[in-house]
């Protein structure tokens, strides 16, 4: 009896390159606890078998050096089809300097590039390689920075709702580290007036409040029907998150800064959130994202994707317990600038296409203008 086999793809990883780019914002931006005027992307290109995969993270330029020094030696020469083996090799490589924090951001960029590379080698869309459970991924418009004037806020919100037909939007609150609650309340009311009664309104305090402050803020805007309260307190303050979750009607969410599976397990086990967040460009890439999604499911939680929407869409489409993906103003602008093949969120969702991999191609000349020196 003969057994048929599928021909193997002989594709050792031959090159991995990391490049940092610094892209100015289109205006002053801030949330409750931080302000910035540029965003740094570290882009990884991984090559094998005549194909190149793309991955990236939004992190300090030092992440590129970490990729070159520690991660390239770990993955070069390995089989490009065996991405989990590469992930394990990278985990060993960052053991001594520490596998969480910036190292996880760097690992994420390489891991995502390798998954994209594998899909391109097999001539498959990435979401099909991962095993899609949905054709489209719900998104929410995100920006609403505390630096915006009322007119800027209204213009952005109305663009998402009336031009793109996105039925859910998010703004930043926690002005000045939680010390200007009157303006927070005013902006929530302005946002509701701009989008009307039928659009879901989300708020994100970026950990600016104490637990009692957060509860009082939601009580003061009870009539505005806020349905999502992100990081009302620091995501490291599990007891505080639990206090807020037990006291407010809005779903409490956290996890965007998580690096390492134990972090996510602790967050879930604390029974402190209604929806877990993960960022595929931070958490360890697609390999770790899939494990985090399974962990969340074990606790009866859905997963929401934080930022980097074009890096996240395929993994989101392959996640059974997925809720929605953040269509973040800064990252959408950068990804549309850097790549051909980007997605359109018209109607409140994006649909990964039929092109191999993540469907993106780097606009090299445009990206080169922002290369960090």
């Amino acid at each position: 009896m003969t057994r048929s086999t599928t021909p193997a793809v002989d594709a050792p990883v031959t090159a991995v390159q990391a490049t940092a780019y610094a892209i100015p914002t289109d205006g002053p931006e801030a949330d409750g606890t931080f302000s910035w005027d540029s965003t740094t992307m570290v882009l990884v290109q991984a090559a094998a078998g005549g194909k190149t995969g793309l991955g990236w993270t939004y992190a300090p330029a030092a992440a590129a050096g970490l990729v070159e020094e520690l991660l390239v030696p770990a993955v070069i020469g390995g089989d490009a089809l065996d991405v989990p083996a590469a992930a394990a090799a990278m985990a060993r490589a960052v053991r001594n300097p520490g596998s969480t924090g910036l190292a996880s951001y760097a690992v994420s960029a390489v891991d995502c590039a390798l998954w994209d590379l594998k899909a391109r080698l097999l001539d498959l869309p990435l979401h099909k390689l991962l095993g899609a459970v949905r054709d489209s991924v719900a998104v929410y418009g995100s920006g609403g920075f505390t630096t915006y004037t009322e007119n800027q806020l209204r213009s952005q919100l109305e663009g998402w709702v009336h031009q793109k037909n996105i039925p859910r939007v998010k703004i930043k609150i926690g002005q000045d580290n939680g010390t200007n609650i009157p303006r927070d309340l005013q902006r929530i009311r302005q946002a509701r007036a701009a989008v009307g009664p039928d659009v879901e309104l989300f708020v994100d305090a970026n950990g600016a409040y104490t637990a009692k402050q957060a509860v009082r803020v939601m009580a003061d805007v009870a009539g505005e029907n806020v349905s999502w309260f992100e990081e009302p307190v620091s995501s490291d303050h599990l007891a505080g998150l639990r206090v807020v979750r037990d006291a407010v009607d809005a779903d409490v969410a956290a996890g965007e800064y998580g690096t390492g599976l134990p972090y996510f397990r602790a967050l879930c086990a604390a029974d402190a959130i209604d929806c877990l967040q993960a960022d595929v460009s931070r958490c360890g890439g697609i390999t770790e994202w899939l494990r985090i999604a399974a962990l969340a499911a074990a606790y009866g939680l859905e997963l929401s994707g934080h930022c980097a929407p074009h890096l996240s869409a395929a993994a989101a489409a392959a996640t059974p317990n997925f809720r929605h993906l953040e269509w973040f103003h800064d990252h959408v602008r950068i990804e549309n600038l850097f790549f051909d093949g980007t997605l359109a969120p018209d109607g409140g969702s994006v649909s990964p296409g039929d092109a191999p991999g993540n469907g993106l191609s780097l606009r090299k000349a445009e990206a080169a203008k922002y290369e960090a020196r």
Side-chain angles (χ1 to χ4, degrees):
M1 177 177 174
T2 59
R3 193 171 84 186
S4 63
T5 59
T6 301
V9 176
D10 183 15
V13 177
T14 55
V16 176
Q17 178 184 2
T19 308
Y21 301 92
I23 305 96
T25 59
D26 57 3
E29 295 180 354
D31 54 35
T33 56
F34 189 67
S35 62
W36 61 97
D37 58 14
S38 68
T39 299
T40 302
M41 169 199 270
V42 174
L43 177 72
V44 170
Q45 299 179 74
K51 305 291 184 179
T52 300
L54 299 171
W56 61 93
T57 185
Y58 293 98
L66 199 156
V67 170
E68 298 285 358
E69 181 180 352
L70 297 179
L71 303 184
V72 171
V75 301
I76 285 291
D79 192 330
L81 300 187
D82 294 336
V83 183
M90 289 191 288
R92 291 191 294 272
V94 297
R95 186 200 68 177
N96 284 358
S99 60
T100 58
L102 188 62
S104 184
Y105 288 41
V107 167
S108 298
V110 178
D111 184 86
C112 289
L114 292 173
W115 277 107
D116 184 42
L117 173 61
K118 178 176 179 176
R120 292 175 193 256
L121 287 167
L122 297 176
D123 199 29
L124 286 172
L126 179 53
H127 66 292
K128 293 294 186 182
L129 172 65
L130 296 172
V133 295
R134 58 179 58 82
D135 295 326
S136 62
V137 175
V139 301
Y140 64 89
S142 172
F145 304 114
T146 59
T147 46
Y148 281 0
T149 65
E150 180 179 358
N151 287 338
Q152 287 175 307
L153 181 65
R154 182 188 306 111
S155 176
Q156 187 180 71
L157 294 173
E158 289 179 346
W160 287 325
V161 172
H162 302 307
Q163 297 174 23
K164 300 295 186 182
N165 296 311
I166 299 175
R168 54 196 80 83
V169 297
K170 186 176 82 178
I171 68 167
K172 301 289 191 180
I173 59 173
Q175 178 84 36
D176 302 326
N177 289 290
T179 63
N180 195 346
I181 288 178
R183 185 163 189 263
D184 292 338
L185 302 178
Q186 179 186 51
R187 294 179 70 253
I188 292 171
R189 295 181 178 119
Q190 289 170 349
R192 174 53 73 193
V195 301
D198 299 325
V199 171
E200 291 185 69
L201 178 59
F202 300 173
V203 298
D204 181 0
N206 286 101
Y209 297 136
T210 67
K212 289 291 185 70
Q213 274 185 308
V215 172
R216 289 193 291 268
V217 166
M218 285 297 100
D220 286 343
V221 293
E224 307 305 332
N225 193 24
V226 173
S227 57
W228 172 274
F229 198 179
E230 186 173 325
E231 283 198 313
V233 302
S234 168
S235 56
D236 294 324
H237 186 8
L238 301 182
L241 285 171
R242 177 67 184 268
V243 167
V244 180
R245 185 201 177 201
D246 288 347
V248 306
D249 290 333
D251 280 357
V252 171
E256 67 185 65
Y257 298 110
T259 58
L261 201 61
Y263 170 94
F264 292 97
R265 189 192 72 81
L267 192 54
C268 293
D271 198 23
I273 55 172
D274 297 291
C275 187
L276 182 66
Q277 291 179 286
D279 186 325
V280 76
S281 77
R282 294 173 172 173
C283 72
I286 292 171
T287 300
E288 199 73 357
W289 167 287
L290 298 174
R291 300 172 72 198
I292 293 163
L295 172 69
Y299 282 92
L301 294 172
E302 291 181 313
L303 187 67
S304 177
H306 175 264
C307 290
H310 292 92
L311 196 67
S312 310
T319 301
N321 56 322
F322 190 76
R323 184 180 295 195
H324 45 45
L325 175 59
E326 184 170 17
W327 197 252
F328 182 54
H329 172 75
D330 282 0
H331 294 179
V332 169
R333 188 174 66 88
I334 292 168
E335 290 164 14
N336 283 336
L337 181 67
F338 273 45
F339 304 113
D340 288 320
T342 53
L343 305 173
D346 295 337
S349 64
V350 293
S351 298
D354 296 326
N358 57 30
L360 303 174
S361 57
L362 180 63
R363 302 174 66 194
K364 295 180 181 179
E366 191 64 36
K369 299 174 186 177
Y370 302 95
E371 187 170 343
R373 303 297 179 184

